[in-house]
Amino acid sequence: MNKITAAITAVGAYVPDFVLSNKVLETMVDTNDEWITTRTGIKERRILKDADKGTSYLAIQAAQDLIAKANIDPLEIDMIIMATATPDMMVASTGVYVATEIGATNAFAYDLQAACSSFLYGMSTAAAYVQSGRYKKVLLIGADKMSSIVDYTDRATCIIFGDGAGAVLFEPNYEGLGLQDEYLRSDGVGRDFLKIPAGGSLIPPSEETVKNRQHNIMQDGKTVFKYAVTNMADASELILQRNNLTNQDVDWLVPHQANKRIIDATAGRLELDESKVLVNIERYGNTTSGTLPLVLADFENKLKKGDNVIFAAFGGGFTWGSIYLKWAYDKK
């Protein structure tokens, strides 16, 4: 019997209709389009304006898009991994609710939280379940409603983040396609540099924490940038070396969409031509767990069976890593 590998066999995505452009942000905080574009590469981001809809809504839309395009029965899905940094609520898993809402009532589900690396870590987890032979269809969703935790008076963070979701289906493959190798790392030194200070068990919610805006995301931009550039590039380079790949062997780099300068630095370290780097940050900003699957959805037409695809991400904590995957299908 051939060895089981875990391959992505379908992709889905969803972004809200409302567009928050740099021009609109100019009316909200002391910033301008040129400053934002030069430093981040972002032109606009999507925002889920409905106050009564959370991350689960984004995730459900992305999952249903995948299910419709792949023409699969939700009852065939064995498990769902919900990669997110903005769950609907504490304790009650967002993934569990999503599974029920999309009709995947035979699946078990849970949330996975590793900040902007959540989807990358989720790829590793989903692949491991498939490779075990116990599960045939694992749905991995990356979704975040970042607007729910952004302070729109803080120009350092409000220019970066947007809302969005993407989903991929992992299934067994017997042709050697799918996930080939991974290099995943974390370092608790990052705890103080990218966080939401209050709302957890350390600093429970109070009138004071709300007044002090401690429930919004805060980051030390320079420190995060430095660590991200170094670690995303190092991880990607190591994956190539470990698998005896040259820059000519790489068909596509799928980097986390946090900052165009970080993406360029990672591609530069690998000496990849710009045409091989998949980027959509200018339209969505940083959707955290949603960035990697949104890139796959946007560029699915370009991906061909057998293509060597390198994924790279960096997130709060700190968390980071790189995954080498062989693409498994041509889009029909």
Side-chain angles (χ1 to χ4, degrees):
M1 183 170 145
N2 291 338
K3 177 185 174 184
I4 299 173
T5 52
I8 292 174
T9 59
V11 176
Y14 175 78
V15 291
D17 293 331
F18 182 82
V19 177
L20 178 58
S21 67
N22 291 348
K23 289 294 184 184
V24 174
L25 277 175
E26 287 179 1
T27 69
M28 298 166 61
V29 291
D30 181 17
T31 191
N32 60 71
D33 174 66
E34 183 185 6
W35 192 91
I36 298 171
T37 304
T38 302
R39 284 161 179 77
T40 69
I42 301 168
K43 282 289 187 181
E44 57 189 39
R45 62 290 291 149
R46 301 297 184 95
I47 304 296
L48 182 59
K49 298 288 283 185
D50 308 59
D52 61 340
K53 293 176 180 175
T55 294
S56 62
Y57 176 80
L58 301 169
I60 290 165
Q61 303 306 308
Q64 289 177 335
D65 181 52
L66 182 150
I67 288 166
K69 289 198 302 185
N71 192 28
I72 64 169
D73 184 347
L75 295 174
E76 295 177 359
I77 298 171
D78 298 310
M79 68 173 294
I80 293 174
I81 301 172
M82 179 74 207
T84 185
T86 55
D88 282 4
M89 60 183 74
M90 301 288 281
V91 182
S93 168
T94 301
V96 171
Y97 176 72
V98 170
T100 299
E101 290 298 299
I102 66 172
T105 52
N106 290 324
F108 73 99
Y110 60 84
D111 295 355
L112 188 158
Q113 206 280 79
C116 291
S117 301
S118 296
F119 191 86
L120 190 78
Y121 281 23
M123 289 176 66
S124 169
T125 309
Y129 276 111
V130 170
Q131 289 165 352
S132 74
R134 293 185 181 183
Y135 305 98
K136 303 295 185 186
K137 285 182 167 59
V138 178
L139 180 64
L140 170 62
I141 307 170
D144 273 302
K145 185 182 178 182
M146 294 303 292
S147 62
S148 67
I149 58 172
V150 166
D151 177 0
Y152 284 95
T153 66
D154 176 14
R155 70 173 186 172
T157 55
C158 74
I159 64 170
I160 298 169
F161 297 102
D163 302 337
V168 300
L169 185 68
F170 274 92
E171 294 187 274
N173 183 277
Y174 300 95
E175 301 176 89
L177 303 173
L179 198 146
Q180 305 294 307
D181 195 13
E182 62 183 48
Y183 178 77
L184 305 177
R185 288 294 181 269
S186 59
D187 188 342
V189 71
R191 182 177 168 106
D192 292 329
F193 301 116
L194 181 54
K195 63 185 177 181
I196 297 175
S201 60
L202 186 64
I203 307 176
S206 68
E207 185 178 345
E208 185 178 3
T209 63
V210 173
K211 185 170 63 177
N212 293 335
R213 299 181 184 270
Q214 290 176 274
H215 297 273
N216 297 121
I217 192 165
M218 299 178 181
Q219 77 166 351
D220 177 338
K222 289 183 179 179
T223 302
V224 172
F225 181 86
K226 181 182 72 174
Y227 273 91
V229 166
T230 301
N231 288 316
M232 268 181 64
D234 284 351
S236 302
E237 189 174 40
L238 186 138
I239 277 287
L240 263 61
Q241 292 172 352
R242 204 155 73 177
N243 291 276
N244 298 313
L245 298 172
T246 69
N247 59 347
Q248 297 301 311
D249 298 318
V250 176
D251 293 293
W252 308 105
L253 173 67
V254 180
H256 171 51
Q257 310 286 302
N259 185 301
K260 183 63 163 57
R261 290 188 294 162
I262 297 173
I263 294 171
D264 290 344
T266 302
R269 176 78 73 83
L270 303 182
E271 299 181 349
L272 286 180
D273 187 86
E274 189 178 346
S275 63
K276 292 184 173 185
V277 185
L278 302 184
V279 180
N280 61 7
I281 190 173
E282 72 282 357
R283 290 188 291 131
Y284 305 135
N286 182 355
T287 56
T288 304
S289 307
T291 65
L292 297 182
L294 279 173
V295 169
L296 292 179
D298 276 1
F299 294 96
E300 189 181 11
N301 285 329
K302 288 194 170 195
L303 300 167
K304 303 301 179 187
K305 185 175 180 179
D307 279 358
N308 290 322
V309 185
I310 303 297
F311 294 81
F314 181 88
F318 290 127
T319 58
W320 71 93
S322 181
I323 283 177
Y324 165 34
L325 178 139
K326 279 187 172 292
W327 197 250
Y329 67 95
D330 296 320
K331 187 180 178 184
K332 296 176 183 177

